[in-house]
């Protein structure tokens, strides 16, 4: 503060008493107001000191908690997301590796079981020589090497900045995705001796089933019987029916299809002429049960739960039957006879995959429909372009089966060929046949049923030639 100035007035009370000058604000104050002015300055100083102390505390807190900054939080979030992606990729790779390994083991096991069966046979028959022994030794060595040294599975690392992404690369999987090709000249494994009722003949066969021993079970329609032809047999044996057309326990009437129920170790037969579906236990015709009555049964299939699916060409629908059902559940069609996606026209053979998707030969619409589980309508997966012989057409298709790659095989009845379609493709390809209607080994005459054996050889029911044709799979 400056010295007193007797002539100036106080800037607060305007009195001419003795005053003092504040050099900070250059104002004059009497003693009383000078004191008040000083108090105001002290309060301002305290506020500054308080702000200073608070900021100092903020610095200390930031130093102690620097890992909580917003930028650190962004880094932490990036780290969490990256770890999640790595863990997810690792889990996907583990699942893929387990799946591929299991397929490899299953394939080796199948070959080993077949080898064991053949070894047992020659041991029991006591007929073998050095050539046989060398063959079996070589086969066992190959199987052992394939199992112990799986050269088809490896890990591939794809380098990226900061993160290396890994994936499972398997040539075993690549092999499996290749399309199978087949010999174009077939081997006749049943029938082929003209139309007749002798044990070496068939009469308009339709559906077939192949067991693990490559025995062929045939719905021998016009002979009203089911016959079994063992591998390399010259004649068949009657296992159901064969006592003329009728509806007694030992009779059938125009059987159309046959499937095997693993759960109950029995056959399911479409006894079309009697409008019923029966369960049959091999070698015991007396133990024959009617499980579905009053139904015009065209084709049969069975899912993993043991539920039976029946196509009804008369009512243009497919129904699912659970044990004890009085009336099956409608699962496809049932909306009249036309060509809309929720309709069918004379459905014949059917097939169900592991995802419970149902494949239906929609015969009079010249297409194959796929109805996913609980769907209200189907999608066209083969044909659907009218009756014709181009690669995008079918003519009255019958049996449909789907392989483990999801490829769809169709008995193209009117074109005397078997077609293969992949879902979404605009056209199919000829697998076997397609060389005109005839009875040569590279020809078919109105093919009906289809099936694969354990070695992926293709069997075709050659209805018009009264025979079953086997087309051997070619090595890729």
């Amino acid at each position: 503060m400056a010295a007193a100035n007797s002539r100036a007035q106080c800037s607060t009370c305007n009195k001419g008493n003795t005053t003092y000058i504040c050099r900070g604000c250059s104002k004059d104050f009497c003693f009383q107001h000078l004191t008040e002015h000083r108090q105001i300055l002290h309060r301002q100083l305290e506020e500054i000191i308080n702000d200073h102390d608070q900021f100092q505390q903020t610095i200390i807190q930031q130093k102690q908690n620097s890992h909580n900054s917003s930028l650190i939080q962004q880094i932490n979030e990036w780290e969490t997301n990256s770890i999640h992606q790595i863990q997810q990729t690792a889990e996907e790779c583990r699942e893929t590796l387990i799946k591929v390994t299991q397929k490899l083991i299953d394939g080796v096991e199948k070959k080993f079981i077949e080898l064991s069966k053949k070894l047992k046979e020659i041991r029991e028959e006591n007929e073998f020589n050095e050539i046989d022994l060398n063959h079996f030794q070589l086969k066992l060595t190959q199987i052992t090497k394939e199992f112990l040294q799986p050269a088809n599975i490896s890990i591939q690392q794809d380098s990226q900045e900061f993160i290396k992404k890994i994936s499972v690369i398997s040539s075993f999987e690549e092999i499996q995705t290749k399309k199978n090709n087949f010999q174009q000249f077939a081997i006749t494994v049943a029938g082929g001796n003209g139309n007749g009722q002798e044990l070496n003949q068939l009469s308009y066969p339709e559906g077939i089933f192949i067991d693990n021993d490559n025995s062929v079970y045939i719905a021998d329609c016009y002979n009203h019987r089911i016959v079994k032809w063992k591998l390399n047999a010259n004649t068949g044996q009657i296992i159901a029916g064969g006592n003329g057309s009728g509806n007694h326990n030992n009779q059938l009437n125009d059987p159309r299809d046959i499937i095997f129920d693993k759960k109950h170790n029995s056959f399911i037969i479409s006894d079309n002429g009697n409008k019923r579906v029966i369960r049959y236990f091999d070698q015991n015709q007396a133990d024959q049960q009617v499980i579905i009555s009053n139904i015009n049964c065209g084709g049969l299939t069975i899912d993993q739960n043991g539920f039976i699916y029946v196509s009804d060409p008369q009512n243009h629908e497919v129904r699912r039957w659970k044990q004890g059902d009085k009336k099956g559940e409608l699962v496809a069609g049932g909306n009249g006879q036309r060509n809309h996606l929720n309709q069918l026209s004379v459905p014949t053979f059917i097939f169900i995959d592991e995802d419970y998707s149902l494949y239906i030969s929609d015969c009079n619409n010249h297409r194959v429909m796929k109805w996913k589980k609980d769907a209200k309508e189907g999608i066209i997966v083969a044909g659907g372009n009218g009756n014709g012989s181009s690669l995008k057409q079918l003519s009255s298709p019958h049996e449909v089966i789907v392989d483990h790659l999801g490829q769809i095989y169709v008995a193209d009845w009117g074109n005397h060929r078997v077609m293969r379609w992949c879902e979404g493709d605009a056209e199919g390809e000829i697998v076997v046949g397609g060389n005109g209607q005839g009875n040569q080994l590279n020809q078919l005459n109105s093919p009906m049923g289809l099936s694969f054996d354990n070695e992926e050889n293709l069997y075709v029911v050659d209805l018009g030639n009264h025979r079953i044709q086997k087309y051997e799979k070619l090595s890729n």
Side-chain angles (χ1 to χ4, degrees):
M1 291 290 176
N5 184 352
S6 59
R7 292 173 296 181
Q9 293 181 335
C10 174
S11 61
T12 301
C13 63
N14 295 321
K15 292 182 179 180
N17 299 333
T18 301
T19 59
Y20 302 87
I21 297 174
C22 175
R23 291 184 178 178
C25 62
S26 299
K27 291 182 180 180
D28 295 306
F29 296 94
C30 65
F31 183 81
Q32 177 184 351
H33 291 114
L34 176 63
T35 303
E36 292 176 359
H37 181 63
R38 294 291 300 173
Q39 290 174 346
I40 291 171
L41 293 178
H42 277 289
R43 285 197 298 270
Q44 290 177 349
L45 176 62
E46 291 298 325
E47 288 175 3
I48 292 172
I49 292 174
N50 184 57
D51 289 340
H52 166 273
D53 292 342
Q54 287 185 359
F55 182 69
Q56 184 181 41
Q57 188 64 29
T58 299
I59 292 174
I60 294 171
Q61 289 176 350
Q62 285 293 332
K63 288 176 67 176
Q64 293 176 345
N65 300 294
S66 58
H67 58 280
N68 289 329
S69 72
S70 61
L71 294 178
I72 288 293
Q73 291 300 322
Q74 290 182 37
I75 295 172
N76 292 343
E77 183 177 351
W78 171 86
E79 180 186 33
T80 300
N81 292 337
S82 298
I83 291 172
H84 175 72
Q85 291 176 12
I86 292 171
Q87 290 175 334
Q88 187 176 27
T89 302
E91 184 60 26
E92 290 171 357
C93 288
R94 278 190 287 268
E95 291 176 359
T96 302
L97 183 58
I98 291 170
K99 182 179 177 182
V100 170
T101 303
Q102 189 60 52
K103 280 188 177 182
L104 179 63
I105 294 172
D106 289 345
V108 171
E109 186 179 33
K110 185 188 294 184
K111 294 177 183 177
F112 181 74
I113 291 172
E114 185 65 26
L115 179 63
S116 302
K117 191 182 299 181
K118 292 178 180 177
L119 280 171
K120 182 179 178 182
E121 288 175 358
I122 67 164
R123 188 175 186 180
E124 290 175 350
E125 294 170 0
N126 199 26
E127 291 185 10
F128 52 91
N129 54 39
E130 288 85 349
I131 296 175
D132 294 324
L133 295 180
N134 288 336
H135 170 75
F136 284 118
Q137 183 61 58
L138 178 61
K139 195 70 175 177
L140 182 60
T141 301
Q142 290 174 342
I143 294 173
T144 304
K145 183 178 179 181
E146 183 178 349
F147 182 74
L148 297 178
Q149 300 175 2
N152 298 315
I153 306 176
S154 63
I155 298 294
Q156 175 178 291
Q157 294 192 16
D158 184 14
S159 297
Q160 298 180 2
E161 191 175 7
F162 299 121
I163 300 173
K164 286 185 177 181
K165 181 179 179 181
I166 63 171
S167 59
V168 175
I169 304 298
S170 169
S171 59
F172 175 77
E173 282 288 341
E174 292 170 2
I175 291 171
Q176 294 300 307
T177 59
K178 292 180 180 178
K179 292 181 179 179
N180 290 336
N181 293 314
F182 302 90
Q183 291 280 2
Q184 293 302 296
F185 288 84
I187 301 168
T188 301
V189 295
N193 298 299
N195 180 11
Q197 60 182 2
E198 300 299 323
L199 290 180
N200 70 339
Q201 294 179 306
L202 299 170
S203 182
Y204 296 98
E206 297 203 11
I208 57 171
F209 167 76
I210 315 294
D211 69 12
N212 292 331
D213 297 323
N214 289 346
S215 293
V216 185
Y217 295 78
I218 308 161
D220 191 10
C221 186
Y222 279 25
N223 282 325
H224 314 292
R225 66 190 184 186
I226 303 296
V227 289
K228 173 183 178 181
W229 286 63
K230 292 183 179 179
L231 181 64
N232 299 324
N234 294 318
T235 60
Q237 63 183 94
I238 300 170
I239 67 166
N243 297 297
S245 173
N247 60 4
H248 295 297
N249 272 354
N250 66 345
Q251 292 180 306
L252 297 170
N253 186 357
D254 291 346
R256 294 286 181 84
D257 202 4
I258 178 170
I259 58 175
F260 188 71
D261 182 355
K262 294 180 182 178
K263 187 176 181 180
H264 297 95
N265 193 31
S266 60
F267 292 98
I268 308 296
I269 300 170
S270 163
D271 191 12
N272 180 266
N274 286 320
K275 291 192 173 183
R276 66 186 183 183
V277 176
I278 64 172
R279 184 185 300 280
Y280 170 76
F281 296 89
D282 196 4
Q283 307 301 330
N284 190 356
Q285 291 201 31
D287 197 6
Q288 181 174 299
Q289 305 170 355
V290 178
I291 55 177
I292 304 174
S293 300
N294 194 29
I295 186 169
N296 184 18
C297 178
L300 294 168
T301 191
I302 190 168
D303 68 19
Q304 301 169 81
N305 298 317
F307 301 157
I308 300 168
Y309 297 71
V310 182
S311 69
D312 186 341
Q314 190 173 41
N315 293 311
H316 316 289
E317 64 185 22
V318 179
R319 289 186 175 271
R320 177 176 60 210
W321 298 75
K322 301 178 183 179
Q323 189 170 1
D325 278 356
K326 299 295 182 183
K327 185 177 181 180
E329 178 186 356
L330 180 69
V331 292
N335 297 300
Q337 181 186 10
R338 290 193 65 185
N339 63 357
H340 294 150
L341 293 180
N342 68 341
Q343 294 178 308
L344 299 170
S345 180
V346 190
T348 55
F349 288 87
I350 52 179
F351 178 91
I352 195 159
D353 66 15
E354 294 180 351
D355 297 323
Y356 303 97
S357 290
L358 188 65
Y359 296 78
I360 306 165
S361 273
D362 193 10
C363 185
N364 281 14
N365 283 324
H366 312 290
R367 66 188 184 184
V368 174
M369 301 293 290
K370 177 181 178 181
W371 287 63
K372 295 183 179 179
K373 184 181 179 182
D374 300 325
K376 299 302 180 184
E377 62 180 30
I379 59 174
I380 300 170
V381 292
N385 296 297
N387 183 6
S389 60
S390 75
L391 293 180
K392 60 182 181 180
Q393 292 178 303
L394 297 170
S395 179
S396 301
H398 278 72
E399 180 73 274
V400 54
I401 56 176
V402 182
D403 68 13
H404 65 285
L405 300 175
Q407 299 173 126
I408 304 156
Y409 291 73
V410 188
D412 193 6
W413 185 86
N415 288 317
H416 315 292
R417 65 190 184 186
V418 176
M419 298 290 290
R420 176 168 56 204
W421 294 65
C422 293
E423 185 175 338
D425 285 357
E427 60 183 33
E429 60 180 327
I430 300 173
V431 178
V432 296
N435 298 303
Q437 180 180 8
N439 61 5
Q440 300 301 309
L441 293 181
N442 68 338
Q443 292 180 307
L444 295 168
N445 183 358
S446 306
M448 291 286 287
L450 300 175
S451 187
F452 292 112
D453 64 18
N454 288 335
E455 296 173 349
E456 298 182 327
N457 300 308
L458 178 64
Y459 293 71
V460 181
V461 178
D462 194 8
L463 175 128
N465 288 319
H466 315 287
R467 65 187 182 183
I468 310 301
Q469 301 293 84
K470 175 183 176 181
Y471 294 87
E472 293 188 329
K473 173 189 170 185
L474 294 173
S475 300
N476 288 317

